[in-house]
Amino acid sequence: MAGDGAGADKPSVGLKLAHGFGAAAFGIKNNGFDYFLLLFYGTVIGLEPGLVGLAILIALVFDAVSDPLVGYWSDNFRSKWGRRHPFMYAAALPVAFSYFLLWNPPELSQTGLFLYLTCLAVLIRTFITFYETPSSALIPELSTDYDERTSLQSYRLFFGWSGGSIMSVVMFGALLTGPLGMLDREAYATYGIISSVLIFAAIMVSALGTHSRIPFLHRPVATGERYSVTRIFREMIETLSEKSFLALFFATVLFAIATGLSAALAFLILRYFWGFGEFQIFIWTCTVFFSALLGFLLAPWATRRLGKKRATITLGLLAFTIQPAPVLLRLADLMPENGDPLLFPLVLGINVIDLALIIAVQAVSYSMIADLVESNQLRTGRRSEGVYYAAMTFTRKVTQGIGVAAAGVILSLIAFPEGADPDTVSSETLWRLGAFYAPTLLLLWLSALYCVSRYKIDRAGHEENLRRLRAAG
């Protein structure tokens, strides 16, 4: 059967680079949606900000349907190019072109702009799912090795974080430096061109770079049962009901809420709480690349030494106690005052290390999804990589929005002034911001680690699953 022993050999560095580089497409897309979309449409183009949020919400509703269906479809697709690659190739041009159109809207009324943004948001998020879910689902097929799967996931996260970070550096360091600053419409149009080209290149490099593995990948199992809506949902529920998956599912929910909360308040914390200037924030953005590199190196090492669950919990405890520590120390008057020359390098250094730990935690915990595949195959007779990765991807999309909403609640509770100059915000308001921000993050992270602790598949269990599958023939 195709796929027997497909991943027994360790993937080459070239294969890992090609497969991992594709994640830059998702990273660039996410970076644009998270950091620039509201700014561009709400401030530069003039669309009511509430309508921008509504457009993203509508796109999320479509994601709820498209993500699991694309995952299921790619698990069961039959072609001479296997289950995954037809989706990957088909997505490349539509994703790139629709992303270009997003940053080059025509002159339209408020209603017209809202419809334009909504349609493109739905299309982009659907097209990127057609690439990202099948591409991620290749990880369990490219290697059955417990440690190599973490390595493959580390490459993906490195390129995903780096792709988004590079575009932020390009925006803040080059495109938005003109006289109009962040209101320069042409800068966003140029950003759209550069991003679209990079997205197309990333997808094609990944698809072509893994194409040679197609003959060794798994084929769908023929059951003889006709496809129907009932069958599709029955099989998806059966696949997603495994206890270890549910542990990772809830952990991912909490991780994503914390990430969304942190991202939503990042600028306020940097600009208002710490009093950093624009150039310092630009330097802060540039250092994400170094954190991604450290996380890329740390995740496989920790897996080899500790196993995946213990590595996730150990690295997580370090990361999630370090992250709120500077804020908590400031609340206790144990950090240098704003403006002190020691403050920026101190907080920046802590962030570089902490973000590296968080990226390593993500790499190890996401690679745990791959080890569910063989366990599920023994239980159901099917390989459902696409369904697993689609569920996790959708969870991250939705719950990051919950994190943003939580950030809004915090700002409302402390009555944070909108558009205020940093020098005019009272010390009491800033203290309350830190007092809500740090403990909330800590609670979310630690709750996520508790969920990870309920995951049951360790190295020995994974190897036993592989042995039983080989014995079954």
Side-chain angles (χ1 to χ4, degrees):
M1 181 179 71
D4 285 351
D9 297 329
K10 294 185 177 181
S12 67
V13 172
L15 182 64
K16 292 179 183 179
L17 286 170
H19 179 254
F21 184 62
F26 193 79
I28 292 169
K29 171 261 168 190
N30 257 17
N31 181 267
F33 271 67
D34 289 347
Y35 292 101
F36 301 117
L37 191 65
L38 179 60
L39 177 66
F40 177 59
Y41 274 88
T43 304
V44 180
I45 301 301
L47 179 63
E48 170 63 38
L51 293 178
V52 179
L54 179 59
I56 301 303
L57 177 62
I58 292 172
L60 280 174
V61 173
F62 276 85
D63 283 338
V65 177
S66 65
D67 282 19
L69 289 180
V70 169
Y72 182 87
W73 190 8
S74 77
D75 283 336
N76 294 276
F77 193 75
R78 297 176 183 274
S79 79
K80 65 178 182 179
W81 283 356
R83 297 186 293 168
R84 315 295 180 189
H85 283 75
F87 293 89
M88 296 161 65
Y89 285 119
L93 191 58
V95 171
F97 184 61
S98 55
Y99 201 72
F100 164 77
L101 292 177
L102 182 69
W103 304 99
N104 291 270
E107 296 293 336
L108 296 169
S109 64
Q110 285 284 300
T111 301
L113 280 173
F114 170 70
L115 294 175
Y116 182 86
L117 172 59
T118 301
C119 290
L120 282 176
V122 170
L123 288 174
I124 291 167
R125 294 171 75 103
T126 302
F127 289 145
I128 200 70
T129 297
F130 268 78
Y131 165 72
E132 180 66 16
T133 293
S135 180
S136 296
L138 282 176
I139 290 176
E141 299 194 86
L142 295 178
S143 179
T144 59
D145 186 85
Y146 186 80
D147 297 314
E148 286 298 316
R149 286 176 168 180
T150 300
S151 180
L152 284 162
Q153 186 65 66
S154 297
Y155 275 84
R156 286 194 73 81
L157 279 177
F158 170 74
F159 283 108
W161 277 88
S162 296
S165 177
I166 286 170
M167 289 313 303
S168 286
V169 170
V170 169
M171 283 293 275
F172 291 121
L175 299 181
L176 297 176
T177 57
L180 296 177
M182 299 183 79
L183 300 179
D184 188 349
R185 180 167 181 164
E186 291 302 314
Y188 292 93
T190 304
Y191 164 83
I193 294 172
I194 297 172
S195 297
S196 300
V197 170
L198 289 177
I199 286 172
F200 179 81
I203 293 175
M204 291 305 297
V205 165
S206 181
L208 290 169
T210 56
H211 192 97
S212 64
R213 300 300 300 167
I214 291 174
F216 308 102
L217 302 178
H218 289 269
R219 306 284 182 187
V221 176
T223 64
E225 183 180 357
R226 293 184 59 184
Y227 284 106
S228 65
V229 173
T230 301
R231 176 188 168 185
I232 290 171
F233 281 96
R234 186 189 73 240
E235 290 185 357
M236 285 197 291
I237 291 171
E238 187 179 21
T239 296
L240 300 178
S241 63
E242 185 163 339
K243 291 181 179 178
S244 286
F245 168 77
L246 292 175
L248 287 183
F249 177 85
F250 287 112
T252 304
V253 167
L254 293 165
F255 279 144
I257 293 173
T259 301
L261 172 64
S262 180
L265 294 179
F267 179 77
L268 291 179
I269 294 293
L270 293 174
R271 191 74 182 93
Y272 290 85
F273 191 84
W274 297 117
F276 296 150
E278 291 183 3
F279 181 71
Q280 289 173 311
I281 295 175
F282 170 69
I283 296 298
W284 185 284
T285 303
C286 292
T287 61
V288 171
F289 175 80
F290 298 103
S291 296
L293 180 59
L294 288 173
F296 162 76
L297 297 172
L298 182 58
W301 175 84
T303 297
R304 289 192 298 271
R305 294 293 297 271
L306 301 172
K308 294 181 182 179
K309 185 167 81 170
R310 286 182 60 199
T312 300
I313 293 173
T314 302
L315 294 175
L317 287 173
L318 285 172
F320 307 145
T321 51
I322 289 174
Q323 185 178 48
V327 174
L328 293 174
L329 290 173
R330 164 57 63 82
L331 297 180
D333 293 326
L334 296 175
M335 289 289 286
E337 293 295 323
N338 287 5
D340 189 306
L342 291 176
L343 182 65
F344 180 70
L346 177 62
V347 177
L348 179 65
I350 291 172
N351 182 73
V352 169
I353 295 170
D354 180 64
L355 184 56
L357 289 168
I358 290 175
I359 293 171
V361 168
Q362 290 180 338
V364 179
S365 61
Y366 293 167
S367 75
M368 293 163 76
I369 301 169
D371 300 334
L372 291 168
V373 172
E374 288 82 14
S375 176
N376 179 69
Q377 187 177 1
L378 284 170
R379 187 166 57 92
T380 67
R382 300 185 303 272
R383 291 184 66 90
S384 302
E385 301 97 327
V387 172
Y388 279 131
Y389 280 94
M392 305 306 276
T393 299
F394 174 68
T395 299
R396 298 205 308 273
K397 289 179 185 178
V398 174
T399 50
Q400 279 183 335
I402 297 174
V404 173
V409 171
I410 289 175
L411 294 179
S412 297
L413 288 173
I414 66 174
F416 196 89
E418 294 185 13
D421 186 272
D423 296 330
T424 65
V425 180
S426 69
S427 57
E428 291 81 6
T429 299
L430 293 177
W431 194 95
R432 289 197 300 272
L433 174 61
F436 275 99
Y437 170 79
T440 302
L441 274 184
L442 186 59
L443 177 63
L444 288 168
W445 292 130
L446 294 180
S447 298
L449 292 182
Y450 170 77
C451 292
V452 170
S453 73
R454 314 309 296 170
Y455 181 87
K456 300 299 183 184
I457 304 172
D458 58 9
R459 186 188 301 273
H462 172 64
E463 291 174 355
E464 174 61 17
N465 286 339
L466 293 177
R467 187 197 65 76
R468 291 174 61 190
L469 285 173
R470 287 192 294 267

